[in-house]
Amino acid sequence: MASFSCSTWCSQMTLICIFLFMRLSSAGDPFKFLNFEVSYIDASPLGVSQQVIAINGKFPGPTLNVTTNDNVVVNVRNKLDEELLLHWSGVQQKKTSWQDGLPGTNCPIPPKWNWTYQFQVKDQIGSFFYFPSLNFQRASGGFGGITINNRDEIPIPFNFPDGDITIMIGDWYTRNHTSLRSTLLAGKDLGKPDGVLINGKGPYRYNDTIVPDGIDYETITVHPGKTYRIRVSNVGISTSLNFRIQNHNLLLAEAEGSYTVQQNYTSLDIHVGQSYSFLVTMDQNASSDYYIVASARFVNQSQWQRVTGVGILTYTNSKGKAHGPLPAPPQDEFDKTYSMNQARSIRWNVTASGARPNPQGSFRYGSINVTEIYVIQNKPPTTVDGKRRTTLNGVSFVNPKTPIRLADQYKLKGVYKLDFPTAPLTGPPKMETAVINGTFRGFMEVIFQNNDTKVHTYHMSGYAFFVVGMDYGVWSNNSRGTYNKWDGIARTTTQVFPGAWTAILVSLDNVGIWNLRTENLDSWYLGQETYIKVVNPEPTNKTELPIPDNALFCGQLNKLQKPQDISYATSIKGNASKFSYMLLLLVSTIFAAFQ
């Protein structure tokens, strides 16, 4: 028998892999394959050793870098000691809410199991991030950036940048997520964060008294005279942050999938769950490095000095360390008008090419007739059925043991109620699984009324919505006279200031079950969310793809789950055969092991 070396076998398998990949790519839109191993690692971002959640051993995880219309295949290995779901926040999951990674749409991945997500970033561009959506896990990490690039034939509305940089900012506690969620379940507040991280690292020691020695900080190296696209996401728990780079202008270029009218800012407020990208030109002299700062907003700065993230921007020809005081934040602790006016100044670039919302065939969203209206009011935490809970319109959402989308698929009764109130309820709050009944191809107006004492950010899965107005006070019908009906930014999250309202418009053209929630993790965990059910009355694979072959089962459908049934995805869609996909994934996984 002739000998057959491992290297020979790998070489031949690589040729097969390349051949199959070419076959797959030529048949339609390209495929991108990734393996994510989610595990605990020990880290000390604020000088205190703690357990964090890493992706492939990295904290934060790798940036998912793809191009419009790519098919993305992510094989997730759950090495945590508890269930896991990854949510691709801002990816619209066109026609496939099955891949959204939230408890209303997916059963969780059990510990030590694999599950493979497969979705297409259809007709999207922009800056987003992914994170674990269960059990308060985002407070321990597990997040990373998502970059969706324009296809080559679609121009970007600015000169191609010299580099692309992803920055994750967020408040951070030295207690892990299990401790933090225990605090919430005990009816207590989390208290002030211990710090702010920049890309998973603590602050540069700009002050010997405030910042202890030995903390690892983020350093970003740039070339003088070059212009970089810097994508910034607030992945924290509940703290609005002001982002700035010492002596550098931030030219805003994009907000969560929409190119903006380009405006310079010395700093920008980035609220929890929000993402922006800036064009930053390295036009300063290199006599020293420069501070990158993310600091808490609407707080007493002297009391929150320790809750400040500081990184370093260094030129390749820098001659010294950063020095002097940090660049000052906006001085408006008790007046949020500055921040609201800044938010209002962010406008949609209606002349830019590229993927963007196109409701009912028209960019003139302001002239489309509204078919349904929801006024959604939040309040500070309250007691519901003896538990400390948060509410929307007087309802504290309870995630059912059987995901809503799965219950619909198998026609289960009593899993949820299709009766989320269109306006705040009178009477005592209640705990329910109440869902919004959305009209397919309807045009929905949602007004968020914030009766809490802190800024909230609201996110809607499955869509980009138009932010058409915000103001202080109580929204009324007369408030529509202040709406921006032409170039309001289209995005996936919006901030609502305390004692204020924000109005959005959204075209319900994406069939599925879609999450509507506060991004403030503590309030979300305690019930401040719901789902929007959008059903095509004439079911067809043209508006929603079938349940994936590798779907997990739980709750009332637990008996349908087979052991070891989810090693690899078998739900590949498009023109490629399942056999080719399985072989390609197997070969690419084995080949990677030899690298």
Side-chain angles (χ1 to χ4, degrees), residues 42-91:
D42 291 327
S44 305
L46 293 177
V48 177
S49 180
Q50 62 182 123
Q51 187 184 71
V52 305
I53 298 175
I55 310 287
N56 297 341
K58 302 293 185 181
F59 168 65
T63 296
L64 185 64
N65 196 325
V66 295
T67 298
T68 301
N69 292 348
D70 279 357
N71 293 287
V72 182
V73 183
V74 187
N75 183 51
V76 176
R77 174 69 169 171
N78 179 13
K79 298 191 73 174
L80 304 181
D81 57 0
E82 55 187 16
E83 297 174 331
L84 171 74
L85 281 174
L86 286 183
H87 174 53
W88 319 93
S89 188
V91 176

Side-chain angles (χ1 to χ4, degrees), residues 272-319:
V272 179
Q274 291 188 327
S275 299
Y276 293 95
S277 65
F278 307 95
L279 299 174
V280 182
T281 300
M282 306 307 158
D283 54 4
Q284 300 300 300
N285 64 53
S287 60
S288 70
D289 297 337
Y290 296 92
Y291 296 124
I292 302 170
V293 183
S295 61
R297 291 292 277 123
F298 319 124
V299 298
N300 185 303
Q301 292 294 328
S302 62
Q303 295 178 9
W304 280 65
Q305 285 185 86
R306 296 183 185 276
V307 189
T308 301
V310 183
I312 293 295
L313 183 79
T314 181
Y315 286 30
T316 53
N317 60 343
S318 177
K319 297 179 175 63

Side-chain angles (χ1 to χ4, degrees), residues 45-46 50-53 59 138-141 143 170-175 192-197 236-237 307:
L46 293 177
Q50 62 182 123
Q51 187 184 71
V52 305
I53 298 175
F59 168 65
R138 192 173 88 195
S140 284
F143 44 73
D171 56 2
W172 190 257
Y173 292 81
T174 55
R175 293 171 285 160
K192 187 167 64 177
D194 297 302
V196 170
L197 304 189
I237 293 176
V307 189

